[in-house]
Amino acid sequence: MNCNTPTDVTFSFTGFAQRGGNTGDHADGWGIAFFEDRGLRHFVDHLPAVDSPVAELIRRYPIKSRNVIAHIRKATQGLVSLQNCHPFVRELWGRYWVFAHNGDLKDFRPRLHSHFHPVGDTDSEHAFCWIMQELAKSHASVPSIAELTITLKELAARIAPHGTFNFLLSNGQALWAHASTNLYYIERKHPFSEAQLSDEDVRIDFATQTTATDRVAIVVTAPLTVNEEWTAFSKGELLVFVDGQRQGC
Amino acid sequence: MNCNTPTDVTFSFTGFAQRGGNTGDHADGWGIAFFEDRGLRHFVDHLPAVDSPVAELIRRYPIKSRNVIAHIRKATQGLVSLQNCHPFVRELWGRYWVFAHNGDLKDFRPRLHSHFHPVGDTDSEHAFCWIMQELAKSHASVPSIAELTITLKELAARIAPHGTFNFLLSNGQALWAHASTNLYYIERKHPFSEAQLSDEDVRIDFATQTTATDRVAIVVTAPLTVNEEWTAFSKGELLVFVDGQRQGC
């Protein structure tokens, strides 16, 4: 989620968490990260999201954030363990960077010669560390979001041929999303309407929860609601969202 | 806490959290980090620990860990915000490093010329980034705990003259603790006995919760229990604990 006003994710997370062991088979751990200004709340758990006491806290405690990345894991490479749960976090240029990957990369283990090294043993964390290394090399100081987007497009194009590489990345200022197979987004804005979750019998009327200036973008691997129009990413597309709006680039 | 068997901190945390706004005035946020193998659960909140829904989760959900660092903040430098809550986390050599500081450093803002930069604006995070930078420079590859201890003693001695520098540091393998004013430790081992919290009317009989081989070391700024013997650190002393035991060095 990327938005222009701090917003809670309790509605979306309620449906999403069902896919972690209930309506979906992604039951090998989960995680979620919320930016608050430059700060970050980062929760990971190796239990399935449907059974996790930490997930229960997230469903009940409305943490408000402008940038949130959540992930439920189906292990393809690496054991079921806490260090392999997405999203992963690193610091670069005095900001936290958060990364989650859906997919599977084959034969992508480039040498990491800088200061970013995986703690776990997934292909995903290795790819993230390589992205951080290459971003740090490509820009002497903190680049603009537009400059970062150009670099990330180049880097994503180098990784994507190795397999399935749907990813989300945020530094608290923007949300970058890259699709190699399935990724969808929606931009909610005034006039807001009612939405019905796909994974649980829960409805929400966003009109009662929002103001006319609120803008909220959600990016997902499969649409979360049944009565809204979600836009599919093209294969190989990298999009960037700022203040709840897709940026032209 | 450092121990040889995964142990929960619900008893100690119950007393400790009272100091975050109730029996103590450290009410400007709090945080706790639990290692599980190489993985890390990291919780921070800008609310006082006594009021925080996340602290309530920690009191009720017995997360078991061999290395835990917790902190309740009384702001001396930097605003009350999430990015200024301890403990801070960075990755180095493929391990997470967790740091919490009690005290106040004056005129210690060395240039950070490597890859570690503060996200918030505290003296504490700046000092941590400097320690990470200097550790990375001092050792080409992953050093032993004994080698790390020697380097950390040198680094702590360079920072300590700038003010009060009580700190805790862990990479999941060991717990390093440095005292410039108040720091106490206890090593609990067989035969275990009953303990009574200082900050709340709660008792626990460790004999019923442990096995004969368990060893647990706790390091604190003020003793947590009234009926156990806590050992004070000397001023300027840096100690390292592994598997619940103080190491000779």
Side-chain angles (χ1 to χ4, degrees):
Chain A
M1 180 179 74
N2 166 272
C3 31
N4 66 348
T5 307
T7 305
D8 74 67
V9 292
T10 50
F11 174 73
S12 295
F13 188 74
T14 297
F16 182 72
Q18 290 301 315
R19 298 178 185 174
N22 199 349
T23 58
D25 62 351
H26 287 233
D28 299 325
W30 67 280
I32 190 166
F34 304 80
F35 280 95
E36 283 181 33
D37 187 11
R38 302 167 77 95
L40 189 73
R41 295 179 192 264
H42 178 227
F43 301 89
V44 279
D45 204 351
H46 61 281
L47 292 174
V50 290
D51 301 329
S52 160
V54 187
E56 176 61 21
L57 173 82
I58 308 296
R59 279 192 292 267
R60 291 195 309 190
Y61 180 32
I63 298 170
K64 287 179 184 271
S65 170
R66 291 177 54 207
N67 286 284
V68 179
I69 291 183
H71 184 269
I72 47 177
R73 180 164 184 243
K74 181 176 180 178
T76 51
Q77 294 182 35
L79 299 169
V80 177
S81 64
L82 196 63
Q83 63 261 36
N84 286 338
C85 290
H86 310 219
F88 302 103
V89 181
R90 291 293 185 278
E91 174 265 314
L92 174 61
W93 299 313
R95 279 200 175 263
Y96 295 121
W97 293 74
V98 172
F99 175 86
H101 169 216
N102 164 274
D104 196 13
L105 297 171
K106 305 289 185 197
D107 307 319
F108 184 74
R109 297 273 170 165
R111 201 168 75 82
L112 299 168
H113 51 73
S114 179
H115 285 69
F116 301 98
H117 293 278
V119 172
D121 49 9
T122 63
D123 53 329
S124 308
E125 191 184 9
H126 198 104
F128 176 43
C129 289
W130 183 78
I131 289 173
M132 288 289 98
Q133 166 184 298
E134 297 301 307
L135 278 184
K137 270 164 51 182
S138 302
H139 302 278
S141 63
V142 189
S144 67
I145 288 169
E147 289 171 316
L148 281 166
T149 305
I150 292 168
T151 309
L152 285 167
K153 281 185 180 178
E154 292 169 3
L155 299 177
R158 289 169 62 185
I159 302 176
H162 292 268
T164 310
F165 195 50
N166 305 309
F167 77 76
L168 298 173
L169 176 73
S170 180
N171 65 351
Q173 299 177 303
L175 175 68
W176 289 271
H178 176 266
S180 57
T181 52
N182 295 316
L183 220 51
Y184 298 83
Y185 72 93
I186 194 166
E187 291 171 292
R188 295 190 183 121
K189 60 188 173 191
H190 184 80
F192 290 92
S193 57
E194 198 177 73
Q196 161 75 48
L197 284 182
S198 320
D199 297 82
E200 199 165 343
D201 189 13
V202 174
R203 300 178 73 84
I204 189 169
D205 184 359
F206 288 118
T208 66
Q209 311 275 326
T210 49
T211 68
T213 55
D214 288 4
R215 295 193 73 119
V216 178
I218 311 268
V219 183
V220 289
T221 46
L224 286 168
T225 57
V226 290
N227 62 335
E228 295 180 296
E229 206 156 304
W230 295 76
T231 306
F233 281 58
S234 309
K235 286 191 201 320
E237 192 170 32
L238 185 139
L239 297 179
V240 56
F241 297 84
V242 177
D243 290 333
Q245 281 188 267
R246 177 184 160 176
Q247 307 296 294
C249 50
Chain B
M1 180 179 76
N2 166 271
C3 32
N4 67 347
T5 307
T7 305
D8 74 67
V9 292
T10 50
F11 174 71
S12 296
F13 188 74
T14 297
F16 183 72
Q18 290 301 315
R19 299 178 185 175
N22 198 349
T23 57
D25 63 350
H26 287 234
D28 300 324
W30 67 281
I32 191 166
F34 304 79
F35 280 94
E36 284 181 34
D37 188 9
R38 301 168 77 94
L40 188 73
R41 297 179 192 262
H42 178 227
F43 301 88
V44 279
D45 204 350
H46 61 281
L47 292 173
V50 290
D51 301 329
S52 159
V54 187
E56 176 61 21
L57 173 82
I58 307 297
R59 279 191 292 266
R60 291 195 311 190
Y61 181 33
I63 298 170
K64 286 179 186 272
S65 170
R66 291 178 53 210
N67 286 284
V68 178
I69 290 183
H71 184 269
I72 46 177
R73 181 165 182 244
K74 181 177 180 177
T76 51
Q77 294 182 37
L79 299 168
V80 177
S81 64
L82 197 65
Q83 63 261 36
N84 286 338
C85 291
H86 310 218
F88 301 103
V89 181
R90 292 293 185 276
E91 173 266 311
L92 173 60
W93 298 312
R95 280 202 175 261
Y96 295 120
W97 293 74
V98 172
F99 175 85
H101 169 216
N102 163 273
D104 196 14
L105 298 171
K106 305 291 184 194
D107 307 319
F108 185 75
R109 296 275 171 165
R111 202 167 76 81
L112 299 168
H113 51 73
S114 179
H115 285 69
F116 301 98
H117 294 277
V119 173
D121 49 8
T122 62
D123 52 329
S124 309
E125 192 184 9
H126 198 105
F128 176 43
C129 289
W130 184 79
I131 289 173
M132 288 290 98
Q133 167 185 297
E134 298 300 308
L135 279 184
K137 271 164 50 181
S138 303
H139 302 278
S141 63
V142 189
S144 68
I145 289 169
E147 287 171 317
L148 281 166
T149 304
I150 292 168
T151 309
L152 285 168
K153 281 185 180 180
E154 291 169 4
L155 299 177
R158 288 170 62 186
I159 302 177
H162 292 270
T164 310
F165 195 50
N166 305 308
F167 77 75
L168 298 173
L169 176 73
S170 181
N171 66 350
Q173 299 177 301
L175 174 68
W176 289 271
H178 176 266
S180 55
T181 53
N182 295 316
L183 220 52
Y184 297 83
Y185 72 93
I186 195 166
E187 291 171 293
R188 295 191 184 120
K189 59 188 175 190
H190 185 78
F192 290 91
S193 56
E194 197 176 73
Q196 160 75 49
L197 284 182
S198 321
D199 297 82
E200 200 165 344
D201 189 15
V202 174
R203 300 179 72 86
I204 190 170
D205 183 1
F206 288 119
T208 65
Q209 312 276 324
T210 49
T211 68
T213 55
D214 289 3
R215 296 193 71 121
V216 178
I218 310 268
V219 182
V220 288
T221 47
L224 285 168
T225 56
V226 289
N227 62 335
E228 295 181 296
E229 206 156 305
W230 295 77
T231 305
F233 281 60
S234 309
K235 286 189 200 321
E237 193 169 33
L238 185 140
L239 297 179
V240 55
F241 297 84
V242 177
D243 290 334
Q245 281 188 267
R246 176 183 162 178
Q247 306 296 294
C249 50

